[in-house]
Amino acid sequence: GMIKTALGSKTSGDAVLRVPLADLLDAENRGRWWRAGASWVGKEQKNQDNLEDSSVTKTAVSAEEKALLKIASKMGLRTAVRKNVFVVMMSSRDVNDAFERLTHMDLKGKQDREIVRVLVECCAQEQAFNAFYAELACLLCTNNRQYRTTFQFAMWDAFKSFNDEDFSENRATNLARLMAHLVCTFQLSLSVIKPIEMSELTDISMLFLCTFFLALFTSSINEDTFSSILDRVATTKDFAVVRESVLIFLQRHLK
């Protein structure tokens, strides 16, 4: 696929392991370090390599960035800020490394909101749902509440695009699972679904909502946490609209 996917299974609380592009390209020479028991000479030789020929290292970094920038363009990330965010996100070692590097980028004014837009687009274009993006999204929202609002707006923009020809089933299921994770972790309220018109569902919006609710109902959260999610939306001014929307959908489509 165009984007690196998670390797191995993810357990609760663990960062998702992803393999840097440069390591994949040089796997035959340096070994596949991400496999249990495999030998890898990259880390041990890093300092020695730098001393012997620093220009080779610079060329390798430049080649990786060039490859990532090419992918970013193919994905529709056309602005310099979004491309830079993409390079940082994709070249990170794990969730925590990505979070640290992204939050230390030199972004001016509201440019930090572009991090959310890039994350959502990357998640949407993965061949299968990648929990890396969900974990990173939670870290960002926990660190800065403004990201919650930006994620909500990003989801609402996705709802408006349900009828677009290029809005694929894969895109719908990936974004639905991302949204379910954010709701389960209290980063987004269930009221995020308010703009969806339940009486005029298309195949894509139906798939999105089915995936979202199934992910919500089959998540590992306990009954008290699930009740808290419902209680939270019950205290908002949107409760009546959201309650009616949820009941209509569940009664008609998730019997």
Side-chain angles (χ1 to χ4, degrees):
M2 290 194 300
I3 313 174
K4 293 180 298 181
T5 54
L7 292 179
S9 60
K10 173 186 173 296
T11 56
S12 178
D14 291 338
V16 177
L17 175 65
R18 298 178 311 133
V19 182
L21 178 61
D23 290 354
L24 289 175
L25 296 177
D26 205 25
E28 293 303 322
N29 296 325
R30 294 184 179 271
R32 292 167 171 77
W33 61 264
W34 55 89
R35 291 186 178 178
S39 61
W40 190 57
V41 298
K43 292 294 184 183
E44 292 78 0
Q45 291 186 352
K46 183 177 180 181
N47 291 333
Q48 182 180 350
D49 289 344
N50 287 342
L51 291 173
E52 291 178 352
D53 191 354
S54 61
S55 63
V56 174
T57 303
K58 292 179 181 178
T59 302
V61 171
S62 177
E64 180 181 4
E65 290 183 357
K66 185 176 180 179
L68 289 173
L69 288 171
K70 187 175 181 180
I71 294 173
S73 295
K74 287 183 178 180
M75 292 178 60
L77 305 175
R78 296 184 175 84
T79 68
V81 173
R82 292 190 180 188
K83 287 181 178 179
N84 289 337
V85 169
F86 177 81
V87 169
V88 170
M89 191 179 297
M90 291 298 105
S91 60
S92 59
R93 296 188 304 273
D94 52 33
V95 171
N96 291 322
D97 183 48
F99 171 73
E100 291 296 331
R101 293 176 63 192
L102 288 169
T103 52
H104 285 90
M105 288 184 70
D106 185 23
L107 300 176
K108 309 296 183 182
K110 298 180 180 179
Q111 286 183 341
D112 59 343
R113 300 178 188 181
E114 295 298 274
I115 294 175
V116 170
R117 297 292 178 173
V118 172
L119 186 154
V120 169
E121 191 58 36
C122 287
C123 179
Q125 292 198 36
E126 286 279 12
Q127 293 182 352
F129 178 69
N130 189 339
F132 168 84
Y133 303 107
E135 294 294 328
L136 180 55
C138 284
L139 277 179
L140 291 168
C141 289
T142 301
N143 181 65
N144 186 344
R145 293 177 63 88
Q146 179 58 48
Y147 284 125
R148 298 180 182 180
T149 302
T150 310
F151 272 110
Q152 177 174 282
F153 288 150
M155 289 300 169
W156 287 355
D157 286 342
F159 300 165
K160 295 175 185 177
S161 303
F162 278 159
N163 293 326
D164 293 353
E165 291 184 1
D166 61 346
F167 204 104
S168 65
E169 292 183 355
N170 192 71
R171 187 180 187 87
T173 55
N174 284 346
L175 291 183
R177 291 184 64 182
L178 173 63
M179 193 172 82
H181 188 88
L182 291 174
V183 170
C184 286
T185 53
F186 297 95
Q187 307 299 345
L188 288 181
S189 167
L190 187 57
S191 62
V192 67
I193 68 170
K194 182 183 66 170
I196 301 178
E197 181 52 63
M198 296 296 177
S199 61
E200 301 176 2
L201 294 178
T202 62
D203 289 343
I204 287 295
S205 57
M206 175 80 73
L207 175 63
F208 180 92
L209 286 171
C210 283
T211 303
F212 168 72
F213 280 113
L214 286 173
L216 199 64
F217 295 150
T218 59
S219 66
S220 59
I221 59 176
N222 58 40
E223 186 174 341
D224 289 340
T225 302
F226 188 79
S227 296
S228 296
I229 292 174
L230 300 180
D231 291 341
R232 183 183 179 192
V233 72
T235 61
T236 68
K237 62 180 180 180
D238 300 321
F239 174 62
V241 175
V242 174
R243 179 179 181 276
E244 182 178 0
S245 295
V246 171
L247 288 176
I248 290 175
F249 181 79
L250 296 182
Q251 290 172 352
R252 290 181 180 178
H253 308 296
L254 285 184
K255 297 181 181 178

